[in-house]
Amino acid sequence: MTLSVFRQGLFTNKVVFITGGSSGINLGLAEAFGTAGAKVAINGRNTAKLNDAVAYLHQKGVFAAGYAADVREYERLAQALQTVRDSWGPIDVLVCGAAGNFPSPAVGMSANAFKSVVDIDLLGTFNTCRAAFEHLRKPGACVLNISAPQASQPMAMQAHVCAAKAGVDMLTRSLALEWGGAGVRLNSICPGPIDETEGMKRLAGAPEAREKLTQVLPLQRFGTKDDVAQMALFLASPAASYVTGGIFPVDGGQSLLGGAVITQAILGG
Ligand code: COA
């Protein structure tokens, strides 16, 4: 973890709550906020993975705790948020990162398969924002919804994710309108192909898919978790105090291309 543009201590005594924080981009965000001084609560549905992630963060010197809950289960999630607030005080930064994905043509998925992804990504984001609202620091809190290029780029084999993430971005914008008066900012971050993530393993795990995707990306490389963390730290910092309702790609220029180009590169569609 390098915090190249942010001094350590920028988030000292801030409280950060991250769903889907046991792995990938979200664990990278937990480490970044923690390294910058925040107390970090991570949520995940798999207790063993969650415990491993908390142990990893402790090893990195991060003040962290884990809260097991499925973002589809409102009551358990609300309880986790209440506990964090009671223990550490109001939440300064809320990251809605829990997500699910698998590549499949629409006719290859059941209604329940489609619903699973919409429920984790979209309903889960709503549940987290809704349950957290009373616990957010007002004024001053920042919500970061982790979206994806699929929100604006139609892609074959990704109908469920495209629909869910488009909803996430519209939720970001709608809540930014509603909650601006309370001093709460909301923004979406859309990470493109980021190395060492479950999503990329599922979508472009094969070396030839990775190579093809690298070739079509304007910046000609995969991103890192640090690349996403730098955007998150900026958006959550006072430097972005006039920024709300935005959708921010961190994708090496993927969003400049058509979804079909990406589909062909990574899925051979
Ligand atoms: N193709 C088609 N259908 C699939 C599928 C695939 N590759 N993988 C799962 N499904 C279907 C299941 O068959 C089931 O439908 P059914 O009840 O009609 O049989 C439905 O999806 C739900 O599957 P289940 O495993 O019970 O759901 P879950 O809630 O435990 O898991 C998923 C959610 C499906 C999104 C799973 O992929 C997951 O847990 N992902 C988390 C990790 C992840 O995706 N990370 C990347 C984030 S970008």
Side-chain angles (χ1 to χ4, degrees):
M1 166 59 48
T2 53
L3 290 169
S4 53
V5 296
F6 291 93
R7 64 187 162 79
Q8 297 203 355
L10 186 67
F11 289 89
T12 297
N13 292 327
K14 301 289 183 191
V15 175
V16 178
F17 188 101
I18 303 177
T19 67
S22 297
S23 62
I25 288 170
N26 301 319
L27 181 55
L29 297 183
E31 186 178 342
F33 278 109
T35 304
K39 295 176 181 168
V40 183
I42 58 171
N43 147 268
R45 62 178 162 145
N46 178 320
T47 306
K49 264 181 77 178
L50 189 63
N51 290 341
D52 286 350
V54 171
Y56 169 82
L57 291 171
H58 286 166
Q59 194 199 334
K60 294 287 177 182
V62 171
F63 189 105
Y67 295 86
D70 189 319
V71 292
R72 293 170 286 190
E73 292 168 16
Y74 189 89
E75 292 308 326
R76 274 195 78 188
L77 189 65
Q79 186 55 56
L81 287 154
Q82 178 77 56
T83 306
V84 171
R85 201 262 174 81
D86 292 345
S87 317
W88 295 351
I91 294 166
D92 296 284
V93 182
L94 178 71
V95 180
C96 301
N101 194 0
F102 52 84
S104 173
V107 293
M109 59 178 105
S110 64
N112 191 45
F114 185 88
K115 181 175 182 297
S116 295
V117 170
V118 172
D119 279 359
I120 298 169
D121 291 25
L122 179 52
L123 182 62
T125 299
F126 173 79
N127 285 346
T128 308
C129 291
R130 173 70 183 84
F133 183 73
E134 67 177 290
H135 305 303
L136 294 177
R137 185 179 301 284
K138 295 186 272 300
C142 162
V143 179
L144 300 173
N145 291 334
I146 307 303
S147 182
Q150 286 91 324
S152 56
Q153 286 181 316
M155 283 186 209
M157 318 268 280
Q158 290 283 276
H160 47 347
V161 177
C162 292
K165 293 298 194 183
V168 167
D169 283 355
M170 197 46 93
L171 189 62
T172 296
R173 301 176 73 210
S174 305
L175 295 183
L177 267 181
E178 286 194 18
W179 295 358
V184 176
R185 298 182 297 110
L186 291 98
N187 292 288
S188 279
I189 297 175
C190 298
I194 304 297
D195 258 331
E196 296 167 29
T197 60
E198 180 64 25
M200 269 304 108
K201 271 182 218 144
R202 288 176 182 230
L203 293 179
E208 45 296 358
R210 185 192 164 87
E211 179 56 33
K212 277 195 213 159
L213 181 52
T214 304
Q215 280 169 12
V216 299
L217 282 172
L219 289 186
Q220 306 261 293
R221 70 166 175 91
F222 271 42
T224 66
K225 291 173 204 166
D226 258 16
D227 289 325
V228 184
Q230 299 290 349
M231 176 63 86
L233 291 174
F234 164 68
L235 288 171
S237 77
S241 64
Y242 202 52
V243 180
T244 195
I247 313 294
F248 296 91
V250 182
D251 65 358
Q254 175 176 332
S255 53
L256 303 172
L257 307 171
V261 176
I262 302 301
T263 306
Q264 190 149 29
I266 64 178
L267 300 171

